Amino acid sequence: TPGQLGDLAISLDFAARQAEARGVSIEDEAAMLALHGALHLVGFEDHTEQGRAQMVSLMNEVAQSCGVPTDDDWSSLPHEVGD
């Protein structure tokens, strides 16, 4: 479809594990994962420290405006088979 950037899929099992590790609710973690995925869809990368820092900064900016807890050290846990 013209104008469509792609799809986001969030594993709730993965979000739950990551939420527990970060000490936040699954809803807040799913929101951060959605923000992270959306930034990838518009061209941001996190393969470099500079790119990761830029993504986390933007994620936190949007999260704060939506009432979602921010985390300057946010990162995704390593994925396991089935995530």
Side-chain angles (χ1 to χ4, degrees):
T1 306
Q4 186 175 18
L5 299 174
D7 297 317
L8 291 178
I10 298 172
S11 163
L12 293 181
D13 290 338
F14 180 80
R17 284 195 308 274
Q18 189 151 307
E20 184 176 340
R22 293 187 53 239
V24 299
S25 72
I26 188 172
E27 293 86 2
D28 290 341
E29 190 58 28
M32 291 298 275
L33 289 165
L35 289 170
H36 187 78
L39 288 174
H40 277 302
L41 287 176
V42 296
F44 288 88
E45 60 82 20
D46 58 358
H47 300 290
T48 65
E49 184 53 37
Q50 181 180 3
R52 190 196 75 75
Q54 184 179 27
M55 283 187 77
V56 170
S57 177
L58 288 168
M59 289 167 60
N60 283 329
E61 185 177 325
V62 174
Q64 184 176 24
S65 72
C66 296
V68 174
T70 61
D71 182 349
D72 290 336
D73 294 322
W74 187 92
S75 64
S76 185
L77 294 172
H79 292 275
E80 299 175 4
V81 174
D83 280 340

